[in-house]
Amino acid sequence: KNRPNASGGVASAGPGPESTAASEPVVKLYYREEAVAEDVLNVDAWQDGAVLQIGDVKYKVERNPPAFTELQLPRYIMAGFPVCPKLSLEFGDPASSVFRWYKEAKAGAAEPEGGGPSSLSPSSPSAGWTETGVNERVYTPSNADIGLRLKLHCTPGNGQRFGPSRELESVCPVEAGPGTCTFDHRHLYTKKVTDDSLIRTVSYNLLADTYAQTEFSRSVLYPYCAPYALELDYRQNLIQKELTGYNADLICLQEVDRSVFTDSLVPALEAFGLEGVFRIKQHEGLATFYRKAKFTLLSQHDISFHEALESDPLHKELLEKLVLYPSAQERVLQRSSVLQVSVLQSTKDSSKRICVANTHLYWHPKGGYIRLIQMAVALAHIRHVSCDLYPDIPVIFCGDFNSTPSTGMYHFVVNGSIPEDHEDWASNGEEERCNMSLTHFFKLKSACGEPAYTNYVGGFHGCLDYIFIDLNALEVEQVIPLPSHEEVTTHQALPSVSHPSDHIALVCDLKWK
């Protein structure tokens, strides 16, 4: 026989006298004041409003009430930076839930004197908490909050009813922020969400935590960056503020740690109306976010370059060319780079669809020919999606292409072809030379042009990131200016206390033709 199970919030009607060990307590389930027969199936027996009696104690049955399964506040909380709690809900959704933010009445006021137990319940405002007046999921502390801890009281809901409330207190008090950040001036251009005819697009390499916090990064790559500014909790504050302030419709990110995607980006961007998908590479991956009011996700077509090249008949011809150069072929097939492809449909006009591609090509300075081959695979795959699967849909191709405008890869993308005698075919020396001519049929251009640099570190600066757009269907309405050279170099190079990555985000408004 199934064991009765009142799933969810069971509220006791108050303790009664305990039954003696000798006699088993009476266990009865009542619905509308009638006893439910023992042979009724669980699924029918347990109804909202039923009453379970065990001995003299009565419990009200609620089936699947909304409940938080996870609730967390970030470790670093800074004035001027949005605090986006991480939360997971069962049988509910954040939009139907109720949030209330409190702050300490004064620093340390919630701590009882002498370290003894507090006589006040921590939830009562008199215990040193005052309401902030903010009743939304995201709270942005002000300078007046510096030195005070925050508390979040939330009640999960699903539109019909509410579940049991939970409370969370921040571990650390609100700290002062870093002052002006490199993106503050850029946000003046992106104060509002664009109208329906425009698509504000962002491409940004976030600098994965995996790479930011190695001994090599701290001492060799970014010795000029304050160690605390390389810490993930610190950088996440800046990344969340920067990305939410762009009010973008499409965001393509590279070097995204899986935990950063789920614990930081999803809650922050979801609170601002964006939904995202993730594709892992090895230690980190790619993320694409889109504004839910403007787009729905129709399908995903992600690939790993080396797997597609080896097994997809689409690249048979390219593979046949590469097989003639065994050492180059081996090198290409060792790389773990991936391509994320999402097909989105306009919520306002279902005939408008768009193919959004996002990638991070192989990084090595001598890997020019590898990037050329990865790009050829990417463009053939994107063509398949945007011509065969969804005929004639426009393409936006974002990413960190690890190629400056003078390289073969860039030439190939914007000119549609690359000759077999291009110097990049021998980018890693004669023994790995692999001469071949390649063509693709798109008409692509860099929406943000060719800035002096999109990556600025101690030993290198150059333009490596692009938002390539399909000229047949899209045009550029405006490009959001990059930070000034003075802003970028205030703390020598990137990353810094005022900039979370070694790359700079590209932001532009695109228009359907």
Side-chain angles (χ1 to χ4, degrees), residues 43 99 288 294 342 382:
V43 67
F99 300 94
T288 298
K294 285 193 182 185
S342 313
I382 293 167

Side-chain angles (χ1 to χ4, degrees), residues 424-488:
D424 276 12
W425 290 121
S427 61
N428 199 28
E430 283 302 318
E431 63 284 0
E432 273 180 46
R433 176 188 283 277
C434 53
N435 289 14
M436 54 182 95
S437 62
L438 300 174
T439 57
H440 70 82
F441 96 123
F442 290 108
K443 267 180 73 184
L444 298 171
K445 84 160 200 177
S446 166
C448 300
E450 300 166 12
Y453 51 80
T454 59
N455 175 238
Y456 198 102
V457 293
F460 169 84
H461 59 267
C463 178
L464 303 177
D465 305 81
Y466 306 94
I467 296 172
F468 291 118
I469 59 164
D470 192 332
L471 282 176
N472 292 323
L474 298 166
E475 56 189 340
V476 181
E477 176 78 7
Q478 72 161 341
V479 176
I480 307 307
L482 273 72
S484 68
H485 185 65
E486 190 183 20
E487 287 173 301
V488 172

Side-chain angles (χ1 to χ4, degrees), residues 291-359:
R291 183 163 296 284
K292 287 191 287 189
K294 285 193 182 185
F295 295 108
T296 49
L297 178 67
L298 282 188
S299 55
Q300 290 171 260
H301 308 271
D302 305 349
I303 57 166
S304 151
F305 289 124
H306 72 94
E307 284 172 18
L309 186 53
E310 284 180 287
S311 59
D312 191 332
L314 204 58
H315 313 296
K316 186 168 165 283
E317 212 181 308
L318 179 60
L319 187 60
E320 283 168 1
K321 291 179 183 175
L322 188 58
V323 167
L324 306 174
Y325 305 99
S327 53
Q329 180 190 0
E330 187 190 356
R331 205 49 95 85
V332 168
L333 297 178
Q334 281 169 349
R335 308 273 59 91
S336 61
S337 316
V338 291
L339 172 73
Q340 185 181 42
V341 180
S342 313
V343 176
L344 302 175
Q345 178 171 291
S346 161
T347 54
K348 305 291 191 292
D349 176 355
S350 59
S351 68
K352 279 187 173 163
R353 293 170 174 181
I354 198 150
C355 175
V356 181
N358 180 19
T359 197

